Amino acid sequence: MMISKLQKTTRSVYTMRSVHRSATNALPTLVQHAVVERPAPQETVTASFGRFISGLGAEHLTPTVLQRSKRMVLDSLGVGLLGSTTEVFELALEHCQQMYAPDYISSVYGRTGTKLSPTLAAFVNGVAVHSMDFDDTWHPATHPSGAVLPALLAVSDMMPPNRKPSGLDLLLAFNVGIEIQGRLMRFSNGARNIPKRFHPPSVVGTMGSAAACANLLSLDPSQCSHALAIATSLAGAPMANAATQSKPLHIGNASRLGMEAALLASRGLEASPLILDSVTGVAGFNAFYEDYMPLPLNLDKDKGHSFLIEVQDIAFKRFPAHLGMHWVVDAAASVNKLLVGIHSGTVSASQVKEILLRVPRSKYINRPFPECEHQARHSFQFNACSALLDGEVTTQSFTADAIRRPELAALLSRVRVEHPADNPANFDRMYGEVQVTLDGGDVLSGRCDTFYGHWRNPLTNESLRKKFRSNAGAVLPRKQVEDLIEAVEALDDLQDCTPLLLQLQ
C-alpha cells in the first residue's frame, strides 16, 4: 500500500511540473520570480513535535535529568508492584487473561511467570500503578510516570534479544514521554489548576505514552506526528469516575492506547497533520483545553531548550491518596503532636468539639463521609481526621476496618470546611490548614504550605528507597527488591535493559 501511495504522489508531481513548464513558456520572467520569492512553508506545531520526538538523543540528557528520571522509574515500579495486590488490579488481570488469548511476551507486575500481549501488559501494569493513587504527580497536575513506563517496558519485552534497548535508550524515551506531557499542559493556563472536567493523565498521559514509544521504536518525524494524532483520538476520561475503581483504568488505558498509537503509526496509519495546532474552526487537541495556545518545539539546545524535569522536580507521595491530601495530613499531624502532649499520649474524639479545615475548593476531593477506600483517598475530611487520630496516614489507613472506626466517624461528624480566597486549587500555590477546637474551648492549629515530598521539598534518596522497599517488598523477596534498586540506579550504564526486565518477571 505504501508503494502504490508513493507512486501516486510521484505521478502528481510530474503532472504539476509539466503544467508549470507550459506556463513558464508563456510568462517566463514572472513565473520564475514567483517561484523563487515564494516563502518556505512555516513548520506546523504538530510537525515540530514529531521532529522533536524523533530527533532527541542521549546527548540531551543532563545529569539532573538522568537522576530525577531514575527516581521516577524506581518509585513507579514500587507503586506498581504494591498495586498488583489490589482488587482492581486483580479484576483487570482476570479480564485480560479470560477475554484475550495471551501471547506470553510482556511481564506483569507482581505476577512471576505471568505474561500477556504487550498492549495488555501495558494496560494492567498502568492500572497497578494508579490503583492506590500512590504514583507521582507533576505541575500542571498529572501523573506522568504511570502512563509511560509500563508501555516502554512492554515494548522492550517485545523486541528480540539482539535488539533490546539500552538502559540509556529507555531513559531517553521515558523522558520524551514526560516532556511531551509537560509541554502540552503548559500551553493552557486552565491546566494549572486541579482538574474539573477530565482526568489529565487520560489525555496527556496517552500522548506521552505515544511519544515515548515512538522514540523507542525509532519512528521518523512524520510517524511520530501521526502517533500523537492517533493518540488524540484515543484520549480522555471524565472526572466523574474519580474516587472509584475505574479511575486506575485511566492510567492503564493511557499507557496501552499511547503504545497502540505508536505501533499503528509505525505500520503507516496516518491522522491529522494539524492535531496539535490551534486551527480556527477545527477541533484538535484544543478540544480538551479551551485556552490551548501551542508553540512549536525546538531541538536546538543553543536556543535554550532543556527538559522540563530539569527545571521542576516531581512530587512523590508518602502515603496512597490524592496529592491534595498531603497538605491537610501534615497540618493535622502537627495538631496531633500537640494533642498527644496535652493528653498524655492519647487522642480521643471526646476531646474534640470542632474541626475546621481551610482547603481549596474542589468538589471531587471534598467528601465528608467516604464509604470505601477509593472515596477515602479523595477526601480532605477523612485524611485530616485519620492524621488527627493516628499522627500519620499510611497504606493501612484505607483498609475497611480503619475506615469504619467509630472514633473516626465521630471526628468526621465534627468537621467544617472553608475555602479561603487565597487558597487556590493549584498544587503549586495551595495550602492546608487544620484548626481544632477542644471540648474545653482551647484552639489548636496546624498549617502546611509545602509537604515533604512536594517538588519544592523533595524526598531524599534514602526516603525514596525506603518507600520503594516497603512497596516492592510486599510482593518480591528482599534480594529481588535490592537487585531492582541496583538495576534502576545503574540504568544509564546498561548496554541493554534486560537486567531490569528480568527483575520484573
Side-chain angles (χ1 to χ4, degrees):
M1 175 176 265
M2 292 298 292
I3 293 175
S4 63
K5 188 173 183 179
L6 178 59
Q7 290 171 341
K8 181 178 179 181
T9 303
T10 304
R11 284 196 297 271
S12 298
V13 172
Y14 285 152
T15 303
M16 291 174 65
R17 285 177 177 170
S18 66
V19 172
H20 174 69
R21 279 196 297 269
S22 66
T24 56
N25 288 335
L27 297 168
T29 304
L30 291 177
V31 173
Q32 287 169 7
H33 285 176
V35 171
V36 170
E37 294 179 359
R38 183 180 298 155
Q42 185 175 357
E43 184 179 46
T44 65
V45 172
T46 307
S48 78
F49 269 69
R51 186 168 57 84
F52 181 85
I53 293 166
S54 177
L56 279 169
E59 68 275 10
H60 293 94
L61 299 175
T62 66
T64 297
V65 171
L66 287 172
Q67 188 258 351
R68 288 181 174 177
S69 56
K70 284 191 287 187
R71 281 163 53 91
M72 294 167 71
V73 169
L74 186 69
D75 184 70
S76 186
L77 288 174
V79 167
L81 287 164
L82 180 64
S84 72
T85 66
T86 62
E87 181 184 9
V88 63
F89 172 83
E90 192 65 44
L91 292 173
L93 178 59
E94 287 178 4
H95 170 72
C96 291
Q97 288 177 316
Q98 293 176 13
M99 298 301 294
Y100 304 94
D103 287 339
Y104 306 109
I105 292 176
S106 297
S107 301
V108 173
Y109 289 169
R111 293 292 192 277
T112 302
T114 299
K115 294 195 174 185
L116 297 171
S117 68
T119 55
L120 294 182
F123 171 69
V124 298
N125 289 339
V127 169
V129 171
H130 198 58
S131 63
M132 301 173 73
D133 217 314
F134 210 178
D135 45 332
D136 56 22
T137 307
W138 212 12
H139 178 72
T142 193
H143 303 283
S145 297
V148 172
L149 185 60
L152 290 178
L153 294 174
V155 170
S156 299
D157 269 329
M158 68 185 282
M159 291 182 174
N162 62 341
R163 290 188 56 204
K164 294 293 185 193
S166 69
L168 202 56
D169 292 334
L170 193 70
L171 284 170
L172 173 63
F174 178 80
N175 279 288
V176 168
I178 304 304
E179 182 77 1
I180 293 305
Q181 295 179 68
R183 292 288 171 177
L184 289 173
M185 296 195 81
R186 280 162 177 76
F187 294 150
S188 163
N189 287 324
R192 296 178 181 275
N193 298 325
I194 296 175
K196 298 178 181 179
R197 295 170 49 238
F198 60 86
H199 195 204
S202 70
V203 175
V204 294
T206 310
M207 309 296 283
S209 172
C213 292
N215 177 274
L216 195 66
L217 292 167
S218 299
L219 301 193
D220 66 35
S222 177
Q223 290 172 317
C224 291
S225 296
H226 288 305
L228 292 177
I230 297 166
T232 307
S233 284
L234 306 176
M239 286 306 301
N241 271 328
T244 74
Q245 285 188 322
S246 288
K247 189 186 178 196
L249 303 184
H250 300 173
I251 306 294
N253 276 329
S255 186
R256 171 190 184 178
L257 296 174
M259 177 183 174
E260 297 252 27
L263 291 172
L264 287 167
S266 75
R267 294 181 181 275
L269 187 70
E270 297 181 350
S272 169
L274 298 175
I275 200 72
L276 299 182
D277 292 75
S278 186
V279 182
T280 304
V282 179
F285 191 77
N286 58 354
F288 299 110
Y289 297 101
E290 293 179 353
D291 63 345
Y292 175 70
M293 292 294 291
L295 295 171
L297 295 191
N298 196 315
L299 264 177
D300 190 347
K301 289 185 68 176
D302 294 335
K303 293 185 178 179
H305 171 75
S306 62
F307 279 101
L308 293 171
I309 191 63
E310 185 165 23
V311 179
Q312 178 189 290
D313 209 340
I314 288 283
F316 295 110
K317 299 178 180 179
R318 303 193 323 274
F319 55 89
H322 184 277
L323 192 73
M325 305 304 109
H326 288 64
W327 279 270
V328 294
V329 165
D330 277 14
S334 66
V335 176
N336 169 272
K337 290 180 180 179
L338 298 175
L339 283 169
V340 168
I342 293 172
H343 295 281
S344 304
T346 62
V347 176
S348 170
S350 62
Q351 304 160 2
V352 176
K353 180 179 180 181
E354 182 187 66
I355 302 167
L356 172 62
L357 305 183
R358 294 191 175 97
V359 293
R361 187 182 300 278
S362 181
K363 289 183 179 179
Y364 86 99
I365 47 178
N366 183 357
R367 299 176 183 272
F369 300 101
E371 298 176 355
C372 66
E373 61 166 304
H374 297 284
Q375 293 180 10
R377 298 183 200 280
H378 295 77
S379 167
F380 280 128
Q381 295 88 337
F382 174 88
N383 284 274
C385 290
S386 292
L388 281 173
L389 278 179
D390 306 326
E392 61 179 353
V393 172
T394 69
T395 303
Q396 296 304 309
S397 302
F398 302 96
T399 62
D401 288 343
I403 292 172
R404 290 195 294 261
R405 287 182 292 172
E407 284 278 281
L408 183 64
L411 285 183
L412 287 171
S413 68
R414 296 164 196 172
V415 174
R416 183 166 60 88
V417 177
E418 290 182 354
H419 305 294
D422 67 342
N423 197 359
N426 181 302
F427 289 148
D428 206 39
R429 297 164 53 203
M430 66 175 280
Y431 62 85
E433 192 168 288
V434 178
Q435 180 177 295
V436 176
T437 303
L438 301 182
D439 193 50
D442 291 337
V443 177
L444 306 176
S445 297
R447 173 169 168 143
C448 176
D449 294 292
T450 303
F451 66 86
Y452 180 44
H454 190 276
W455 45 84
R456 289 194 300 269
N457 186 21
L459 296 184
T460 63
N461 288 336
E462 181 181 357
S463 292
L464 194 69
R465 289 191 206 103
K466 181 179 179 180
K467 176 186 174 182
F468 176 80
R469 289 186 175 105
S470 175
N471 289 342
V475 294
L476 297 181
R478 182 173 179 177
K479 183 179 186 308
Q480 195 169 350
V481 171
E482 296 304 317
D483 287 346
L484 258 175
I485 293 175
E486 184 178 334
V488 172
E489 291 184 346
L491 198 52
D492 47 332
D493 294 323
L494 294 178
Q495 292 304 305
D496 72 60
C497 62
T498 300
L500 176 64
L501 299 174
L502 289 175
Q503 295 304 325
L504 295 172
Q505 296 180 6

